Amino acid sequence: MWLEILLTSVLGFAIYWFISRDKEETLPLEDGWWGPDTRPTGREDESIHPFKVETSDEEIHDLHQRIDKFRFTPPLEDSCFHYGFNSNYLKKVISYWRNEFDWKKQVEILNRYPHFKTKIEGLDIHFIHVKPPQLPAGRTPKPLLMVHGWPGSFYEFYKIIPLLTDPKNHGLSDEHVFEVICPSIPGYGFSEASSKKGFNSVATARIFYKLMLRLGFQEFYIQGGDWGALICTNMAQLVPSHVKGLHLNMALVLSNFSTLTLLLGRRFGRFLGYTERDVELLYPVKEKVFYSLMRESGYMHIQCTKPDTVGSALNDSPVGLAAYILEKFSTWTNTEFRYLEDGGLERKFSLDDLLTNVMLYWTTATIVSSQRFYKENLGQGWMTQKHERMKVYVPTGFSAFPSELMHTPEKWVRIKYPKLISYSYMARGGHFAAFEEPELLAQDIRKFLSVLEQQ
């Protein structure tokens, strides 16, 4: 009897191993057309045109008029940021926005890097492309695509770009010198929004792959957080032979294994592959995972189901838009900031930087189209799309920032990314890593490249 049980168990394990073993699948590349009407006959115009950010007195005057009509609602006593953006602090922000913020000056800052547009799959795709000012003799720069998320923009990367393209003049070695390409996700900022339903992260990944080919790069590195992490993951699933390395500062890797080990990890963490730091960042799980995600994910349910409704209000009110977006830069940077009257916003960011990001949504009227990206990607339910169930077979590096919305242990990351070669517990920082801690993120990208090149 015991022999039969043993043989059955061994056979069952062998069958399970055969069925579940890694299969290096790729996503089908396919094609798409997201512009209005039907795809025109003939070849798509592949030319790349310089682009410049511009503004006008009329645009600024309209903004000021709308700000002046803001209707103030007093906050509850001692509510801090527990009910959302504290309206007392909001008065300070909009006073600065109305009376001190210089949009024309910020437009000049935006134009410090070269901007371009090109038509791909019927959409005008905007990107900045920054090349190194100087290179060591005989060296070529490493092409690096960096992709933002919501409610961010390409502007998140402005402080990290010099550390990557000109490291020697910023106290870093010139072992790794990059040329950096930062596109705007279609429907965000200066990239045209899809006219059709179904435009998701896979379609975005394909468009960004075509962009890199159009720029002359057959092989390149990619980096992202938030939606950028998913888009870059999809690129690695679509064209792994073209992606030399993938670096992430966020990963969507929830699985049956991670859920089960999360429940058992505090008591059996060491046996489940958790480090002491993992336990510290995940437990007590009720507070640091479930309650935290519940507090911070209400926006997601709205945007996954009816994005256009709330989007209409936000697109009409600059103050409403600022409150909605900047609240995320408070609690997503550090959940403890909800206990502060000012949400801790100016502890990590300047109002000029924060409002510049808001203005990229306001002046382009893209808050609705940016929110639709949630419905297209998550509106059908969790784990319903093929790419969600696929692994990634590209060398991967991961930065685990301690104040990210949810900590992702190395054990979890490795399930989705079996070729994980670099995993770093970052000293500080939250969701908007490149914006908040550009030096730390740049150092970890460089570390990842060093490990990759030693293999």
Side-chain angles (χ1 to χ4, degrees), residues 259-280:
T259 304
L260 178 63
T261 59
L262 184 62
L263 297 174
L264 301 173
R266 188 158 202 179
R267 180 167 294 185
F268 305 105
R270 189 160 56 91
F271 302 101
L272 297 170
Y274 288 4
T275 66
E276 287 185 16
R277 183 61 172 150
D278 293 331
V279 173
E280 186 180 316

Side-chain angles (χ1 to χ4, degrees), residues 5-200:
I5 293 173
L6 178 62
L7 289 174
T8 303
S9 299
V10 171
L11 180 61
F13 177 79
I15 293 171
Y16 173 80
W17 175 84
F18 180 79
I19 293 172
S20 63
R21 64 180 176 170
D22 290 350
K23 298 173 184 177
E24 295 198 19
E25 294 181 275
T26 58
L27 286 173
L29 194 55
E30 298 180 341
D31 200 4
W33 175 261
W34 306 100
D37 303 318
T38 58
R39 183 196 293 264
T41 58
R43 186 170 177 173
E44 188 171 56
D45 178 11
E46 295 187 357
S47 58
I48 297 173
H49 307 282
F51 171 77
K52 189 175 182 181
V53 183
E54 295 180 336
T55 188
S56 65
D57 290 337
E58 291 76 18
E59 182 176 69
I60 296 169
H61 179 66
D62 176 70
L63 171 69
H64 288 173
Q65 279 192 315
R66 291 170 183 264
I67 290 175
D68 288 341
K69 293 178 180 179
F70 168 59
R71 296 192 299 178
F72 173 73
T73 302
L76 295 174
E77 294 176 5
D78 303 318
S79 59
C80 300
F81 262 57
H82 291 283
Y83 285 71
F85 205 106
N86 185 287
S87 52
N88 280 337
Y89 180 64
L90 183 59
K91 283 200 296 185
K92 177 188 174 182
V93 172
I94 63 175
S95 174
Y96 182 86
W97 196 5
R98 174 65 175 84
N99 302 308
E100 299 178 59
F101 179 75
D102 189 342
W103 176 230
K104 289 183 178 179
K105 176 186 172 185
Q106 296 306 116
V107 165
E108 290 178 6
I109 291 173
L110 289 173
N111 286 320
R112 284 179 185 171
Y113 294 136
H115 294 247
F116 302 90
K117 278 192 174 186
T118 189
K119 204 86 163 179
I120 305 178
E121 297 192 9
L123 300 178
D124 262 334
I125 303 301
H126 161 263
F127 62 99
I128 58 173
H129 186 179
V130 187
K131 299 181 179 180
Q134 57 187 2
L135 274 171
R139 297 266 296 279
T140 56
K142 298 174 171 72
L144 174 64
L145 180 83
M146 304 189 78
V147 187
H148 67 88
W150 186 92
S153 64
F154 66 91
Y155 184 61
E156 289 181 64
F157 302 114
Y158 265 50
K159 288 184 173 66
I160 197 174
I161 286 173
L163 306 177
L164 299 170
T165 59
D166 191 18
K168 199 163 187 179
N169 284 327
H170 291 84
L172 302 171
S173 78
D174 58 7
E175 177 187 5
H176 304 294
V177 182
F178 299 88
E179 61 179 294
V180 179
I181 300 92
C182 300
S184 295
I185 298 171
Y188 289 66
F190 302 113
S191 278
E192 186 178 359
S194 172
S195 296
K196 295 173 172 57
K197 296 186 293 183
F199 185 82
N200 61 11

